[in-house]
Each structure stands twice: as structure tokens, then as C-alpha cells.
Amino acid sequence: MRAIVQDGYCRPDGLELREVAPPPVRDGEVLVRVRAASVNSYDWHFMTGTPYMTRTIRLRNPIPGADLAGTVESVGAGVTAWRPGDDVFGATHRGSFADYVSVPADRLARKPSTVTFEQAAATPIAGLTALQGLRDKGRIKPGQQVLINGASGAVGTFAVQVARFHGATVTAVCSTANVATARKLGADRVIDYTTEDFVADGTRYDLIFDGAGTRSFAERRRALRPDGTLVFVGGPRTNRWLGPLAGQVVMRLRDRRMVLFLANTNREDLESLAGMLADGALAPEIERCYPLAAVPEALTHLSTGHARAKLVISL
């Protein structure tokens, strides 16, 4: 099969398209013929080995890629939920930038017939991050004032829609070029950060979901109500880990909650996303689709910080 392969930690230009043997299908796994995948910051970190704490996790699979959508080719022993021919989507730890990937059966959900493989592949990690961040960590409630910072990003475009699905009043923060998209996704108010300042306008929010990390923690505190919650899911790579940890200490001392988390891939939440996709409550935003050979180009674009919404690999 064709696969993108990395020999040790590298930059995107160190990735190569090669012919390799298909992966084995172990007990409890499903072999999926990949029809589409998508790139995430997750892939960047484990490709480059940055921040260095990622290097404590051994990379047993030289093929990057987590998000996927495709068709079940075969199933391993003990798998009863899936049969060959089923269309599925989900996420695995590694291996989706290839024609075939073996995935634990409980990290998949059925792809709705109303969405494309590309739309389904755009959903897992970004959609789960938005869903779990707002629902579980932010404890979102109908009628709350919710601000999404970084509303045009891969996670932010999902967060706007998930917040609306849960009945919140949504303020989206993005650049001028993305104002129309944020409104299309359902934001009640859109702040163009090039002309307005969400901290300075005096509005206080019940929940801030921050996928941009462009403001200091002191500034974000000022935009929260006294019992408000900040859910932090991203930011500049140089400050991606230490900044949130320091901010968590400061905010707890001031009786405000700050949450830093990584999404957990599980069938129940993937099925929740599948239901939202099928009902039209969730519509993935895709900036561009790339062929498998252009994975390095997609990851390079992702690394600039200027990617809008999702970048998808179409096989």
C-alpha cells in the first residue's frame, strides 16, 4: 500500500511517500481502507517531537496521521460491531496517512450517509475537542454567554456550532476574512479582532473557549464572570504547555476555573458527533483537500498558523 513514512523526528520535508506492507489486524482491531484523513496539531507535535515531552511516548508506527474516514476491509478477532463494507470514521494514534490503517474497534463510529468521507475525516479530533471541551470541561448550559476565541480555526469552527447546539449565545472572535464564515456557522455576534477588542468592550462571559491563545491570562480573566470558566485548547507553540499550566494556578487562586485538556477518542462521543452531522447541526468547514503525496505541504501550511478550518487528505 501507499503510505507517508517518517524515519525519526523530522520536519514536513522529511516525510516520504513509500510502498509498504499493509498493517496487521490484531484482536479488537478493524482494518479500514482510508478514503480521507485530516491533519491536526497532534500530527505536527509527534512528527517533530516538539514539545520535547512528546518524545517520552514511543512512536511504534512510522506512519503519521490520526483522523480518518473509510470503509471496513476486515475485522480482527472479537470484533462484532463492524463488518466489511461498513463506512466508518474516527481516530487512531498513528497510521491514517496511508491506503489502509488498523484501528481499535471502539475508536470508530458509523459515517452518516449524508456526509462525504472528507467531511467525516475532518471531524474526529477537532470535533471531539470542541464537544468535550464545552460540554464536559466547560459545563455549557442553555442561555450562557460563550466566547469562542479562534473561531475560524480547525477546532474553533466546530466549537461555534457545538455551543449553538447546546443553546448558548455565541460570540466568535476571528479575523476580517473569516467574519462571514463565523456568522454562517451560527455565531450570534462576531468580533473582528483587527478592529475590536473582546477584553476592552466590557462584556463578561460565562465560558471562554480559547483555541487561539493570543491573549494573556490576565486579559482573559477580565473577560470572565466571577464564576466563569476558561477552557484552553491551543496557542502559540512556544507557550502551548507552560503557559496554560501557569495560568491554571493563577486562576484557581482567584476562584475562577481554567481547564487545559486533550480530547479522548471514544465511540460514544463519536456517535454523538455522527448524529449532529446527520441532522445538519454540524457542518465541517474545509479549507482545502490535498492528495496523499501532499501531506508534507498540508502540514507545512498548518504550521504557519494561518490555516482556516480543516485541511483534509483525500485518497
Side-chain angles (χ1 to χ4, degrees), residues 287-288 290 296-308 311:
E287 177 186 339
R288 181 178 170 187
Y290 298 79
E297 181 183 348
L299 283 164
T300 298
H301 182 36
L302 179 73
S303 73
T304 66
H306 300 301
R308 292 180 289 106
L311 307 177

Side-chain angles (χ1 to χ4, degrees), residues 15-53:
L15 300 175
E16 293 184 2
L17 180 64
R18 300 179 189 169
E19 292 286 334
V20 300
V25 187
R26 300 179 177 86
D27 294 355
E29 291 186 341
V30 175
L31 182 66
V32 178
R33 178 192 172 195
V34 181
R35 299 288 298 276
S38 71
V39 300
N40 295 282
S41 295
Y42 173 95
D43 305 311
W44 175 271
H45 293 308
F46 284 98
M47 176 187 68
T48 59
T50 56
Y52 282 97
M53 66 178 66

Side-chain angles (χ1 to χ4, degrees), residues 157-194:
T157 52
F158 283 97
V160 170
Q161 297 174 81
V162 170
R164 284 287 293 168
F165 178 80
H166 283 87
T169 299
V170 181
T171 298
V173 181
C174 60
S175 66
T176 307
N178 298 304
V179 167
T181 297
R183 288 184 177 137
K184 181 186 74 171
L185 294 174
D188 298 280
R189 178 189 176 200
V190 182
I191 295 177
D192 177 352
Y193 67 74
T194 66

